[in-house]
């Protein structure tokens, strides 16, 4: 096999989906520990107080304790190279999460064993279902009293509409936690609360029917376990790899991220079951990852990750072929050949330079304002990847400067922040207002904070009479012109220069849509 195919087959690119507080950050840290990326994982408490997480870059995040930015962490595990794409947990950043999920090949769902399926998990699962993304499940916090495992699986099946195939099974819970049993490999991993967050060293005992198992757990526990496992094997689906890859069945693992227990079984299962780079749809055709010519698309842009450099980074997922340092590629939207020099890769906490990246890998391109979310880069072919949308914002605020002389900086700052896709800028045709749109109210705080700290602009975001926005298109140029003239006062251009109808009320939008049947009003803007 060629080196290219070998490297491609090693890649496993995924993201964690969960409701806030289910333990995503804690688990991420333990996964990095297994990958050898960090020597010693501090407990979340220690980390939050003392140093910030590998994936947290922004000051704001430390202050609020939420993940504002997404990041990418790459680590080797067994023969694989794992790319973990972090997603913000807070729902005000759901667009960012949505787009990140377009760049992964599978997802890991983390569920709190006491809380079960929560609201945010349901939404993220819906997003995964759009692309039939395979999902692996980790039921966390076994060291605490939780709900009956069978009950939890039942809830996952009913609420999330995906079949469950338990791979590991808890032996007790909370204070009575004794270990987990691996249903596929028939071994018991005894629980030992880990010290200092190190890899859990509890003993492994082969065979649920072995005398060693009975010795270790005692006659009552082992009898109950054997009975329960029989029941589980009768009640639950057996693991079926094909069903998992089709997104219809999820293998389920139990554990405790904080004591690093059950995590290794899950990670072993992940690298064994999870798909490598998957084919991806472009406008003209579907691209296979093993195609030798390089293609990739940008799913995220993040400004000023490193305050020392004020750089903006475009995160590109390699879909086929190999990216090599210094190579030239076609920037399809601009119809121009550009040099992709100096890309960054993301080995755990360090941003390092690499000279090759394979399908499934993420590279960070320095962006000087020419790259947008959704842009496709290829080795010449004029195709554009689809399915990385902008959503019409639901909240709108007008930017008001405290110092009117800073108008230029404000414009520049807002435009650059909007490149990241979390907020969108609208300039009404009738005024000089700068209206910022977002899906979550926290975005305005983040924008104000960053304008101050990164652009030295002091501004407020105040209420404005806009309740929703739609991108407008019309095939008939004459009709569009007519529409433009009649609805001038409700029209704006977004930061890409596209025409947008900014409606004062939903009723107004509805009436306008009825009045102009030839005009298309779109709630999403696909980046092609
Ligand atoms: P998130 O990224 O999904 O939001 O969750 P995070 O890892 O930050 O964990 C949320 C809380 O749950 C943290 O406690 C964390 O210590 C705790 N936690 C995570 N995994 C486990 C586990 O396996 N068992 C138990 N018992 N707790 C777990 P916190 O009190 O909210 O934060 P902190 O004060 O400890 O920082």
């Amino acid at each position: 096999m060629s080196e290219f195919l070998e490297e491609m087959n090693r890649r496993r690119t995924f993201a964690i989906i969960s409701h806030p507080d289910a333990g995503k950050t804690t688990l991420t840290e333990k996964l990095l520990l297994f990958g050898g990326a960090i020597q010693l994982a501090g407990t979340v408490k220690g980390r939050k107080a003392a140093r910030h997480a590998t994936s947290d870059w922004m000051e704001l995040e430390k202050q609020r304790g939420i993940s504002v930015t997404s990041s990418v962490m790459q680590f080797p595990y067994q023969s694989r190279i794992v790319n973990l794409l972090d997603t913000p947990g807070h729902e005000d950043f759901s667009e960012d999460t949505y787009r990140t999920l377009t760049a992964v090949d599978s997802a890991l769902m983390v569920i709190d064993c006491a809380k079960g399926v929560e609201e945010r998990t349901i939404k993220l699962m819906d997003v995964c279902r759009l692309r039939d993304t395979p999902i692996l499940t980790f039921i966390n916090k076994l060291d605490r009293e939780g709900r009956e495992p069978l009950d939890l699986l039942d809830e996952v099946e009913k609420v999330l509409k995906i079949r469950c195939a338990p791979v590991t099974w808890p032996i007790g819970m909370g204070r009575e936690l004794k270990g987990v049993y691996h249903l596929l490999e028939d071994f018991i991993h005894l629980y030992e609360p880990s010290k200092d967050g190190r890899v859990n060293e509890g003993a492994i005992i082969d065979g649920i029917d072995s005398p060693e198992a009975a010795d270790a757990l005692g006659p009552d526990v082992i009898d109950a376990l054997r009975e329960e496992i029989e029941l589980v094997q009768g009640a639950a689906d057996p693991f079926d790899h094909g069903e998992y890859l089709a997104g219809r069945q999820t293998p389920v693992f139990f554990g405790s991220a904080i004591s690093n227990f059950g995590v290794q079984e899950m990670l072993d299962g992940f690298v064994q079951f999870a798909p490598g780079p998957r084919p991806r749809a472009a406008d003209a055709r579907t691209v296979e990852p093993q195609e030798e010519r390089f293609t990739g698309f940008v799913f995220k842009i993040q400004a000023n990750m490193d305050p020392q450099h004020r750089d903006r980074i475009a995160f590109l997922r390699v879909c086929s072929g190999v990216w090599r340092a210094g190579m030239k590629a076609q920037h399809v939207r601009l119809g121009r050949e550009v040099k992709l020099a100096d890309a960054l890769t993301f080995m755990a906490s360090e941003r390092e330079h690499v000279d090759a990246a394979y399908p499934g890998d993420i590279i960070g391109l320095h962006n000087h304002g020419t790259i947008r979310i959704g842009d496709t880069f290829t080795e010449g072919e004029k195709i554009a990847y689809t399915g990385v949308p902008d959503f019409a914002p639901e909240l709108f605020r007008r930017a008001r400067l405290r110092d009117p002389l800073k108008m230029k900086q404000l414009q520049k700052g807002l435009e650059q922040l909007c490149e990241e896709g979390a907020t969108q800028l609208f300039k009404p045709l009738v005024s000089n207002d700068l209206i910022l749109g977002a899906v979550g109210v926290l975005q305005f705080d983040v924008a104000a904070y960053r304008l101050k700290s990164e652009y030295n602009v002091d501004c407020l975001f105040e209420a404005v009479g806009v309740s929703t926005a739609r991108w407008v298109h019309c095939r008939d140029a004459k009709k569009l012109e007519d529409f433009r003239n009649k609805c001038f006062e409700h029209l704006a251009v977004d930061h890409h220069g596209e025409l947008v109808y900014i409606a004062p009320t939903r009723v107004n939008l509805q009436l306008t849509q009825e009045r102009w049947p030839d005009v298309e009003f779109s709630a999403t803007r696909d980046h092609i």
Side-chain angles (χ1 to χ4, degrees), residues 148-167:
E148 281 295 320
L150 271 175
D151 227 35
L152 287 164
L153 299 197
D154 201 42
E155 185 175 72
V156 170
E157 296 205 337
K158 287 214 173 87
V159 179
L160 301 178
K161 300 191 179 57
I162 187 164
R163 307 287 297 170
C164 289
V167 175

Side-chain angles (χ1 to χ4, degrees), residues 407-446:
M407 192 61 190
K408 247 184 144 162
Q409 285 95 319
L410 174 67
Q411 287 228 17
K412 184 171 162 210
L414 284 176
E415 269 164 22
Q416 293 193 353
L417 292 184
C418 286
E419 275 173 18
E420 296 178 34
T423 50
Q424 295 171 48
L425 183 61
F426 300 98
K427 299 180 198 165
L429 301 185
V430 284
S431 68
N432 289 326
D433 283 351
L434 296 172
I435 297 176
L436 202 63
V439 285
V441 70
L442 190 55
Q443 299 286 2
F444 298 109
D445 291 1
V446 173

Side-chain angles (χ1 to χ4, degrees), residues 21-26 45 48 140-141 143-144 256-258:
D21 269 354
K24 187 183 66 169
T25 314
T26 313
K45 264 202 174 84
K48 273 185 184 159
N140 190 28
K141 307 199 186 180
D143 58 298
R144 280 194 194 157
S256 160
I258 206 150

Side-chain angles (χ1 to χ4, degrees), residues 157-215:
E157 296 205 337
K158 287 214 173 87
V159 179
L160 301 178
K161 300 191 179 57
I162 187 164
R163 307 287 297 170
C164 289
V167 175
T168 62
W169 197 256
I171 311 172
M173 248 193 210
R175 243 171 285 148
E176 296 303 314
L177 177 63
K178 301 279 186 274
V180 289
Y181 172 63
H182 201 296
L183 284 109
L184 304 184
E185 293 177 18
D186 186 25
F187 69 80
I188 290 168
H189 184 176
L190 294 179
Y191 175 63
E192 247 180 54
S194 80
K195 297 168 195 72
D196 311 328
R198 280 173 204 278
V199 174
N200 192 284
E201 299 290 1
I204 303 279
I205 299 171
D206 277 325
I208 192 171
D209 293 320
S210 67
E212 291 82 3
D215 278 353

Side-chain angles (χ1 to χ4, degrees), residues 64 73 84 95 113 177 193 211 272 288 351 408 417 437-438 460 478 508:
R64 290 183 184 264
M73 287 154 281
L84 169 54
E95 278 191 76
C113 72
L177 177 63
Q272 197 185 338
E288 298 292 329
R351 288 192 284 158
K408 247 184 144 162
L417 292 184
L460 293 175
K478 169 91 185 54
N508 168 287

